[in-house]
Amino acid sequence: GNSVTQMEGPVTLSEEAFLTINCTYTATGYPSLFWYVQYPGEGLQLLLKATKADDKGSNKGFEATYRKETTSFHLEKGSVQVSDSAVYFCASSYSGAGSYQLTFGKGTKLSVIP
Amino acid sequence: GAGVSQSPSNKVTEKGKDVELRCDPISGHTALYWYRQRLGQGLEFLIYFQGNSAPDKSGLPSDRFSAERTGESVSTLTIQRTQQEDSAVYLCASSLSGGRARTDTQYFGPGTRLTVL
């Protein structure tokens, strides 16, 4: 089955610092890849996604590129803000039967300090 | 409009008791999902409802777990004879059509934190 591994947190950065959160996956077939974000007190929200190799998902200044050769989908942002403090989850979905199921990593907590 | 809501937000129970967790999906969403997140773990898929189709129960960890959904509205997740390993955050999500996750975004509720003493 699918599995997702993401870097352990917590991660603490100063405002305007560069962010990378690593994510790698194992899957059969061609999964779709996602980053979800959970702000304090809120439900998970889809941040961005990529559905095939070399696709780049982007939203709110965050980017991630689907790298099939390294089975990775690392999340990056060039300049983080205090409002980006949240827990970030990498996820994948099957390409065949059960493609509605999401498989999540453990989450990485990001704290951005002024 | 309103998002996915779940109740209660927190539940503390004693080992051996039954608990019911409730999920109200976004109006008009035909698909509903339950996930579980144990401490230090990723979210685990539990069950999926889509319209009037038979639910996909493949993620339920034991026969102590069951879930129901009335039409395309409220769902309840029931855990019987709770055990300490059931302590987790239980998350509900809904989506418009229940198709592939790549095209049918799942919207999550804030979760119910269950603690079994």
Side-chain angles (χ1 to χ4, degrees):
Chain A
N2 289 10
S3 68
V4 174
T5 304
Q6 63 182 103
M7 64 186 285
E8 300 274 334
V11 174
T12 302
L13 294 173
S14 297
E15 207 165 21
E16 299 184 2
F18 184 86
L19 169 71
T20 300
I21 301 178
N22 291 339
C23 172
T24 57
Y25 67 91
T26 60
T28 54
Y30 302 95
S32 295
L33 302 172
F34 308 81
W35 278 99
Y36 275 79
V37 59
Q38 186 172 30
Y39 298 104
E42 300 183 15
L44 273 77
Q45 305 173 23
L46 179 63
L47 179 60
L48 53 84
K49 67 180 179 183
T51 59
K52 61 182 188 295
D54 300 324
D55 264 4
K56 178 186 284 188
S58 61
N59 187 24
K60 300 183 180 179
F62 291 88
E63 293 184 339
T65 301
Y66 188 144
R67 301 283 188 202
K68 192 169 187 297
E69 63 276 14
T70 54
T71 61
S72 66
F73 193 55
H74 305 322
L75 182 69
E76 296 182 336
K77 186 173 185 181
S79 176
V80 294
Q81 305 300 311
V82 172
S83 57
D84 295 326
S85 297
V87 182
Y88 292 82
F89 293 87
C90 186
S92 70
S93 68
Y94 293 102
S95 58
S99 59
Y100 44 78
Q101 285 188 31
L102 291 169
T103 300
F104 286 86
K106 295 181 181 181
T108 303
K109 183 175 182 179
L110 170 67
S111 297
V112 180
I113 54 177
Chain B
V4 177
S5 60
Q6 294 185 244
S7 61
S9 55
N10 279 285
K11 176 72 176 178
V12 179
T13 190
E14 293 179 349
K15 178 181 172 180
K17 302 279 191 184
D18 297 352
V19 295
E20 271 193 4
L21 312 179
R22 177 187 169 106
C23 171
D24 283 89
I26 294 172
S27 178
H29 280 194
T30 64
L32 187 146
Y33 316 74
W34 284 97
Y35 292 85
R36 174 175 75 173
Q37 184 180 25
R38 289 188 280 190
L39 189 65
Q41 304 297 315
L43 280 74
E44 307 167 68
F45 167 81
L46 297 178
I47 189 168
Y48 161 76
F49 296 91
Q50 206 289 316
N52 294 319
S53 301
D56 176 357
K57 304 180 182 180
S58 61
L60 293 179
S62 78
D63 58 8
R64 295 186 296 104
F65 287 71
S66 62
E68 293 184 349
R69 186 181 187 194
T70 307
E72 293 183 354
S73 61
V74 171
S75 175
T76 55
L77 177 69
T78 301
I79 309 173
Q80 296 179 308
R81 305 181 302 282
T82 52
Q83 303 295 312
Q84 288 182 332
E85 66 260 26
D86 299 333
S87 295
V89 177
Y90 289 83
L91 290 157
C92 175
S94 70
S95 69
L96 191 59
S97 64
R100 296 180 174 184
R102 62 192 287 176
T103 53
D104 190 45
T105 299
Q106 295 179 26
Y107 296 84
F108 284 78
T112 294
R113 182 176 297 277
L114 174 66
T115 304
V116 182
L117 301 177

